[in-house]
Amino acid sequence: MAHAAPRWTQVLPFVLLGLRSVIKEDINATAAELVYGTTIRLPRYFFEDTGTKNISEFVQQLKQTMHNLKPAPTSLYGRKTVFVHPELSQCTHVFLRHDALRKPLQSSCDGPFAVVKRSEKHL
């Protein structure tokens, strides 16, 4: 094996990149040149040297940047407010929703039922 990596899948993209970017001596071109008509840009050309020579300065800047990151606000899909009609506290009869499999055209509510006892959160 060419690399002593514990997981060959981590090294595979670099091996394939190397195969595409190496010059074939018999045709004097790379495989990428044959496919794309130009050389491919290797990862080392994506990054420019920023001139940071001091590693501790870089680490301090990285810590400060990470400290300043704020998480994106999350949405509240799970929170649903329940509407309770204000006149429910004075009603004499109520209908109760029955969440079960019903026959077609059968009502989804049972009742009316008389209110026997009231509290702040229960009827």
Side-chain angles (χ1 to χ4, degrees):
M1 184 171 203
H3 297 280
R7 296 186 193 153
W8 64 270
T9 55
Q10 292 177 339
V11 182
L12 183 63
F14 296 110
V15 172
L16 294 174
L17 181 64
L19 291 174
R20 291 184 190 116
S21 61
V22 69
I23 295 178
K24 311 273 189 214
E25 292 182 6
D26 55 342
I27 57 174
N28 199 22
T30 65
E33 286 177 321
L34 295 175
V35 174
Y36 302 117
T38 183
T39 58
I40 58 175
R41 211 167 161 178
L42 297 176
R44 69 179 175 141
Y45 298 120
F46 289 134
F47 305 104
E48 294 180 12
D49 186 17
T50 59
T52 305
K53 303 290 185 205
N54 190 355
I55 298 298
S56 62
E57 177 186 335
F58 172 74
V59 171
Q60 291 299 327
Q61 288 176 353
L62 181 63
K63 283 182 180 180
Q64 187 62 35
T65 303
M66 289 303 182
H67 180 70
N68 292 338
L69 287 178
K70 303 288 185 230
T74 58
S75 56
L76 301 174
Y77 291 115
R79 289 190 185 177
K80 293 182 181 178
T81 58
V82 178
F83 172 75
V84 178
H85 199 280
E87 292 181 10
L88 188 62
S89 61
Q90 293 106 19
C91 66
T92 59
H93 289 76
V94 292
F95 287 90
L96 298 177
R97 183 172 177 87
H98 185 77
D99 289 328
L101 188 60
R102 298 269 179 148
K103 294 179 182 177
L105 301 177
Q106 190 175 6
S107 176
S108 62
C109 296
D110 296 330
F113 297 106
V115 176
V116 180
K117 182 180 174 185
R118 293 182 197 274
S119 68
E120 188 176 323
K121 293 192 177 196
H122 302 282
L123 292 177

